[in-house]
Amino acid sequence: MYWPAALRAEANVYQAEIAGEGAFGCAYRMPHCNTKDPLVVKYISRPFANVPIARRTLRELSIMRQCSHPNIATLLRVHVDGQLSSNFRHLYVVMQDGGSSLLDVLDEDRQRRKRHTMHRAPRLTLTGARSIAKQVLCALRYLHSAHIAHRDLKPANIVLRPCAQRSAIGARGDVSNDVG
């Protein structure tokens, strides 16, 4: 995988692990070079290949840049694989990493039930589920008040931050300015 020099200076790309895959690229988890804070780098291949993809890419980046809410993933930077004036091919969107997705936690609990190893309490308790639901609803209220619809809200796009006990809606999915 090619990583732009500016991104290599910011994130330890040699410790990159795949965090997820989507229709337009992959998300990689890696530590920040200096602070060691966890980051997610969303790699978008050919973001301007055609007009619909270009619109979707620009809309997502614009919305992420405008959002400032504790339960919405934070956009830190965007890197390209060349000069902005040239015809670059890929985007690298750097965001704070929250940790496991809700889907990961649900899958882990499901696997433990299958193996009959429920001697440990499930990771997601009823109180935890209520807290996650409340935080997701707060994030949705914020987005909807700005006339933004997420359009891809699912457990894989809900990131759980264990140290802060917060969940965040990730921008791994499609977002739009069409909530009425």
Side-chain angles (χ1 to χ4, degrees), residues 37-87:
D37 289 339
L39 301 173
V40 166
V41 176
K42 181 178 178 181
Y43 164 76
I44 304 172
S45 178
R46 301 181 64 222
F48 304 108
N50 60 47
V51 173
I53 292 174
R55 283 186 180 148
R56 178 181 292 192
T57 301
L58 290 173
R59 181 177 56 230
E60 180 178 338
L61 291 174
S62 172
I63 289 171
M64 286 179 68
R65 206 176 118 238
Q66 294 172 33
C67 290
S68 177
H69 190 275
N71 300 119
I72 296 177
T74 304
L75 172 68
L76 300 175
R77 254 167 298 299
V78 177
H79 297 281
V80 296
D81 65 348
Q83 300 297 321
L84 285 175
S85 59
S86 69
N87 189 12

